[in-house]
Amino acid sequence: MLKSIFRILGLTIVVIILLIGGFIGFYFVKNSINDSGALKPVHEQLTWIENFYTTNARYPNQSEFKSQFPDFKSKRGYTAYGLNNIDGNPAQNFSLSYDLSKERSDAVGTPGRGIFGYEGYYSVGPCPRWNELGLGQPEVITYVYPPGGLIYSDLNVGEIYFAHSEQLNEKIPLLNGLSNPRLFQKASNNKTNNIIVTNGNDVVSYEWAGSELKLKNPKKIGVIPTGCPVSSSR
């Protein structure tokens, strides 16, 4: 009698272990399939975002992204960063976050990490298209000194202007009649501030003459890069 009870108990434990193992195996296989399926639309989304930027000189805002990908679901989603981080302004930066159950070598972007390790998502930003010109991400506003103030780009109007730190409401025109101007600031070898401005397909470097409140000595340094591969390295 006792032997039969132990036998039944042993078989029950074996069945429970097999069921648990099967459930765990099914869980991981299911997640792996779901993760593989999640990566393809992410590549499609990133390609669309970067092509949108190439055409419009700005990244799509949240509404435009949602209209293009109404079925996209993520705990964090897509965020465009424009002037003052207000949606609707000409965004020159973005973050796309998507959920993955575990880290993968073929995942695009940077894994989210906390004090307990991987947090179940990846984040992707703009591709480094400007690297070939030795530039970082473009801006629509940059600080200069002297004199202390801000140089702004009005992407839609096609104007570059300056405003003193104490008089930000007073615009001093620097350049106008431009096509989708974006800004970069880069120190030159002689320690002068070079302000890089895009105009149509051209990328032009100017010297900031602060005493005259002018951008002088324009020099074309290249054309706007359009190549932007989606890769796991960015």
Side-chain angles (χ1 to χ4, degrees):
M1 180 72 176
L2 190 61
K3 185 181 291 186
S4 297
I5 293 174
F6 278 114
R7 184 179 299 167
I8 294 172
L9 183 61
L11 287 173
T12 302
I13 292 173
V14 170
V15 171
I16 292 173
I17 292 173
L18 289 174
L19 288 173
I20 293 174
F23 177 78
I24 293 174
F26 173 78
Y27 174 80
F28 281 110
V29 169
K30 179 175 178 292
N31 280 345
S32 179
I33 293 173
N34 288 342
D35 285 352
S36 296
L39 290 177
K40 182 179 179 181
V42 168
H43 280 255
E44 293 173 352
Q45 291 154 10
L46 290 171
T47 298
W48 180 81
I49 291 169
E50 295 293 358
N51 286 338
F52 185 101
Y53 184 86
T54 297
T55 302
N56 299 280
R58 65 173 179 86
Y59 287 110
N61 58 39
Q62 279 85 275
S63 299
E64 291 166 328
F65 179 86
K66 186 176 181 180
S67 177
Q68 182 70 22
F69 302 102
D71 298 326
F72 174 70
K73 292 181 175 63
S74 173
K75 294 177 182 178
R76 296 155 188 86
Y78 173 82
T79 303
Y81 300 102
L83 181 61
N84 298 325
N85 290 343
I86 298 175
D87 184 21
N89 281 313
Q92 297 298 312
N93 201 349
F94 76 88
S95 176
L96 175 69
S97 296
Y98 62 97
D99 303 323
L100 280 184
S101 65
K102 63 179 181 179
E103 295 183 62
R104 294 173 56 120
S105 60
D106 58 345
V108 186
T110 303
R113 296 188 184 280
I115 58 174
F116 299 110
Y118 178 60
E119 294 191 329
Y121 72 95
Y122 276 73
S123 292
V124 195
C127 76
R129 67 171 69 205
W130 301 96
N131 283 4
E132 64 183 78
L133 296 177
L135 302 172
Q137 281 300 116
E139 305 287 352
V140 291
I141 181 173
T142 187
Y143 179 79
V144 289
Y145 182 87
L150 298 171
I151 294 179
Y152 291 85
S153 169
D154 190 322
L155 195 74
N156 299 318
V157 174
E159 183 181 52
I160 303 291
Y161 62 91
F162 173 80
H164 288 280
S165 298
E166 300 81 8
Q167 298 170 303
L168 292 179
N169 292 326
E170 182 181 332
K171 299 180 180 180
I172 300 174
L174 300 175
L175 301 171
N176 53 45
L178 305 179
S179 174
N180 297 325
R182 285 152 287 181
L183 296 172
F184 305 82
Q185 185 172 173
K186 189 175 182 181
S188 63
N189 293 331
N190 58 6
K191 297 183 180 180
T192 60
N193 278 337
N194 281 1
I195 304 299
I196 316 297
V197 179
T198 67
N199 180 22
N201 292 324
D202 296 335
V203 183
V204 183
S205 175
Y206 293 85
E207 291 181 10
W208 169 239
S211 59
E212 304 173 59
L213 297 181
K214 289 183 179 179
L215 292 173
K216 301 174 62 175
N217 301 325
K219 179 182 178 183
K220 182 178 175 179
I221 62 172
V223 297
I224 293 177
T226 57
C228 200
V230 176
S231 69
S232 59
S233 60
R234 66 182 188 167

